[in-house]
Each structure stands twice: as C-alpha cells, then as structure tokens.
Amino acid sequence: MKLSELLLAAREEAPAARITVDDVVAAGRRRKRRRNTGWAVAALLAVIAAIGVPQLVARPSVPPVTPPKAGLLDLRFSGYRSGDLRVGDPEWVSIENQLASIGRELSPGVYRSVGRLALYPTGSVPHTFRMDGPRESGGAINGREAWFIEVLPHAVSTADSLLTWQNSDSSTGVLASYENRLSRTEMMRLASAFRVSPPRPARLPFAITWVPPTMRLAAIDVSRPRATTAVLLPGPDRIGFELDPAYEQPQFVSSWSRPVSDSMRLPGDLSFPRTTPGNAPVPGGGIVIGVQRSFMPGTGPTPKCATWAGQRNVRQCQAAPDATSNLVARAGHDVPEADLQRVAAAGRIVGAVDNPGTWPTTQESFPTSAQVSRD
Amino acid sequence: MSDHEAEFREFVGAQMEALRGLAYLTCGDWQVAEDAVLGALARLYVKWGRVENPQAYARTAVVRAAIDETRRPWWRREQSHGDALPEVVAPDEILTIDDRVQLRQALLQVPVKHRAVLVLRFLEGLSVPQTAAALRCPEGTVKAYTSRGLDALRRILGADLSIDERVEARHEAV
C-alpha cells in the first residue's frame, strides 16, 4: 500500500463543494475592500498622529501666557496732523475719558492752542462739555452722523463750538473749538482723520508701593514727563464721574513750539508755576499724587505735611524719593494725615526721565488694590 | 470583469477541488477545509498579479489555514448544524477494510502538523525544503515530523505502509 495512492484515495468521495468560484471572488473583493478601508483609516490616523503628537509634545507644561486684558487707563489714540493743525497724544487719561490738545502751527515750529479732542470710551458719557445746546447735523463721519453743538456761555469752558460723533467701536469723540479758532470745515476734517488705535498702556515715571486699600487710581496726567500726576478716588463706588483736569493747556500747546523727541513731539521740561506738581484739583475723599523730576531744597525721604495754599481745606505731604525729585501727596481732611504721609513715603522714581519707554505702566506703578476694573 | 479577475477565476476553477482535498487531509473536516480554502483564496485574490507562483502560494496558504482552523478555539469556531455530517470514526467490524476510510481514520489520529507534512510531501510531492518553506519551519522539523508521522501511521494501520520510492529517495537525500 503506497502512501501517496492512499492519500489520493483518501480525498476522494469528497462531498459537493458548498463554495463556488463566485463565492471565492466575492470573498476576495470583501477582503480587498476591508484592506483598502484599513489603509485609509491608518493613513488618517498617521496624519492625525503626525500633526497632533508634535503639538502635544511641544505643548508647554504651563498654560500659555495670555496677553493682559486692556486696562481702563490704556491709551486709545495717538496724535496726528491735518494740514496746519496738530492733535497731540492723550495728555489726560482717566477712567471716563482721554483728552488731547489741538494746536495750530502759526509759523514753522510755533503753535497756538485752538481746541481739544476728547474720547469717551463706550459706556462713558460726556459731562465736562455742555452738550445740551442747539445741535445741527454736520454730515457723516466714517458712515455715522456727526453733530455740531453750540456751546452756551459757560464759566469754566472756553469752548464755543463742539463736534461730536461716534466711532466704529461705539466710543464717542468730542472736538471742541476755542474762541472760534477752528472752522466747521476744519473740525470735520480733524474728526474724519481721527482713528481709535489698539490700546497701549499709559506709563508713569514713578511707582507707589502703598495707597489706602480703598483708594482707586482714576486718572493720570502725562502731559509733562518731568511733572506727572495721578488721581486716586475713594473706593469703586466713587469711580464713574468725570474729573476735570486743570493743567494749563495753552502753555502745554505752546510747548510744542519747543519740541523734544517722542512720538508726537511731546512737550519736554516745562514749568507750570501754578500747581506743579500734582496738577489737578483734589477730589473729595481722594488723593492727588504729583512727582516732579527736580529736587526741592528742604525735602528728604521723610514726608513733611502742611496745609496747601493752592486749594481750600487741602493739605500736602511732601518728600524726596531721591536726590533728583520730589513727591507731593495732597488730600482733604477726609483723608487721615497718617495715610497721606505713608503715601508720600511710598513713592520711588522708576525709569529714565527722558525715555517714557522705561517707565512702568499704570498697572505696575500702583498696587493691585488700586486698579479699577469694569468687571 | 478585468483580465486579472478572469485569470483568477480560471485558476480557482482549476485548483479548487485539489485545494479542498489538501485542506481536508490536513484538518480532517470538509467544512473546515472549505473555510480554509475560501480564506486562503480570498487572500490570494488581493495579491493576484503580484504572486510569482500562485499554485504554491495557494497550497501553502490552504495548508496553513487548515492547521489554523484546527487550532481555532472552540468559541471562535462556527457551529454548523446543517447538512454537515459528523466525521465520526466508527470501528470497522468488517474484515474487508476500506483503505481509504482506514487511512482517513488513521490520519485523524496523527498530530495535525505531522499530517500536514505527510500530505505536502507524499500527496503534493514537495521536497523537504519546499515543505519547510510552506510550513515556515526548519527542514529538520520537516524530517522529524515525516518520520514520526509515518511511524504513527504504520502503528495505527498495523500494516506495512510503503511509500513512493521517488519521494522516499528525495526524503533520504535531503
């Protein structure tokens, strides 16, 4: 008995096959389809892995640093020119508005104050200007209607004509002409050229390490690098009304005639005889801090406090943060003298006086407790 | 229908019965054998046109599939309840022994790998190296399985089982 013959014989008597050629081909097609689908899925997974894995690997272990939220005291526009008219950078920056001077170049390098531009962020309402006078349409500015407003005789304002309009971000622009020094055509031209810019932080050449915990930083005056001012208001419930700056605008604009180098040739070393430093009226319950980059004889690190003759019922504590500067802190009698003295002792000079880029931002200059948030 | 598929159909039509028998002798069950053939040929369909020797490929694939089918865990086996008759080996009390039945019975008692070696070598006529390549095992293993398989068959059949001289000579030479 040969094995090969037996094997051949053993596979005889096979039952009828259940599968046909068509079954085999169909099974082959199914297998091919599954395999192709598998390749497609594998390719997709490979692409996902190629893209996703490096991102996961490169992902830092710490959360990404998000840019700080725009501060309420960030500058929202920059100075610009229109013909012989010049609008400066914001000089007065407050929670409620930002102000800049308008000057006309009478002759090369000689400027004269002719008006003021104010920007009221969304939600702020102009109060300083008398906005309730007769109004007349001035046409469209950037697709929105602008209005001329006649200013009724006003004891504290030299503006006689206003132009108001709304910007694309719903902020309000107000342009004031002093003593008819700006024609309506010029006002429309200046307003049309105005642009809201991305916020950039306002800076101060000093820092205060302590203020009363209830005090909030409400405004700063950066019109003069050598004599800057900050205004504190007592508590968040007092924030929201418009402060009236008192710096001497005509002198400020005249200083453009003696320009120094910066973004819009900001005025340099000016002398303000009346209220320097702390160039703002003291609000009730608040504190005005002024820092001047010049040494006052008789001052030292320890503050000296006395009644201030510049405003009724206001006292002033004065100190010398270093040998090149002096600091005043002014407040009414509703602020304890000890607090005022402590504020005056808490100041220090930061950065180079002629290089505003080295100055700390307002968020860095004051304790966190003094920062105002709309949230 | 493409030329490739027509060629494949022609190949399957010509080889299917032989492959079924090969699978059956390896696994001892016609239905399992058909499953093995179907799976092996489906794989060949995907590779058709890229396989140099389709016949050798199909033979190897079918034997290995048949071996795999016998190793498949019981819970993964399809349970057939249809027309499949159980391949029960009943003691043959008839003195006139049917060689074919006896051999099938004997084969089923040989371990599956030994059985596969015997089928490939003595039915398909493969050499030791070809069998080793088909089963992906060393040639020494093929020789050992051949020897043990033959011994087992002789012991089971209780008869003088001769093998082809040609195959034996090839077996001895290798």
Side-chain angles (χ1 to χ4, degrees), chain A residues 100-250:
Chain A
S101 293
I102 303 171
R104 184 189 302 279
E105 192 172 24
L106 301 175
S107 60
V110 178
Y111 286 88
R112 177 191 184 195
S113 174
V114 293
R116 173 177 277 175
L117 189 150
L119 177 68
Y120 292 83
T122 308
S124 295
V125 180
H127 291 297
T128 299
F129 299 108
R130 299 289 298 270
M131 306 287 286
D132 51 353
R135 58 174 53 200
E136 183 181 338
S137 175
I141 293 178
N142 298 323
R144 301 187 181 203
E145 191 163 19
W147 298 92
F148 283 107
I149 300 175
E150 183 183 337
V151 179
L152 302 176
H154 193 271
V156 296
S157 174
T158 55
D160 50 34
S161 178
L162 301 177
L163 175 65
T164 181
W165 72 97
Q166 209 170 43
N167 298 298
S168 57
D169 65 345
S170 298
S171 60
T172 302
V174 177
L175 201 149
S177 168
Y178 294 161
E179 300 171 351
N180 292 318
R181 291 173 182 171
L182 285 172
S183 68
R184 286 193 167 190
T185 303
E186 288 174 326
M187 293 172 78
M188 285 294 289
R189 198 179 73 210
L190 282 173
S192 299
F194 177 83
R195 293 289 181 273
V196 175
S197 63
R200 60 187 195 281
R203 296 175 182 275
L204 289 168
F206 64 89
I208 301 291
T209 57
W210 184 89
V211 297
T214 58
M215 293 281 182
R216 301 290 184 271
L217 180 63
I220 61 170
D221 169 10
V222 289
S223 62
R224 297 165 297 158
R226 291 182 176 273
T228 51
T229 300
V231 180
L232 296 166
L233 289 179
D237 56 326
R238 297 290 299 275
I239 299 293
F241 64 89
E242 190 175 343
L243 294 166
D244 190 17
Y247 65 91
E248 296 163 349
Q249 195 185 6

Side-chain angles (χ1 to χ4, degrees), chain A residues 75 201-205 220 222 228 356-362 364-365:
Chain A
L75 307 181
R203 296 175 182 275
L204 289 168
I220 61 170
V222 289
T228 51
T358 62
W359 301 354
T361 66
T362 53
E364 296 165 339
S365 291

Side-chain angles (χ1 to χ4, degrees), chain A residues 1-4 6-15 17-20 22 24-25 28-29 31 35, chain B residues 5 9 16 18 20 25 30-31 34 38 41 43 45-46 99-100 103-104 122-123 150 161-162 164:
Chain A
M1 183 162 45
K2 291 183 179 178
L3 179 58
S4 58
L6 288 174
L7 289 172
L8 283 169
R11 71 178 181 187
E12 291 176 358
E13 298 178 349
R18 294 177 304 156
I19 57 174
T20 63
D22 288 337
V24 172
V25 171
R29 285 176 178 164
R31 187 177 184 88
R35 198 185 68 154
Chain B
E5 187 167 314
R9 284 176 173 275
M16 184 124 86
R20 277 181 73 215
L25 289 178
W30 283 108
Q31 292 192 25
E34 285 185 349
L38 188 64
L41 291 179
R43 283 196 293 278
Y45 175 89
V46 177
D99 287 346
R100 285 174 294 192
L103 180 61
R104 281 207 294 263
F122 298 105
L123 180 67
L150 287 172
L161 186 65
S162 67
D164 293 9

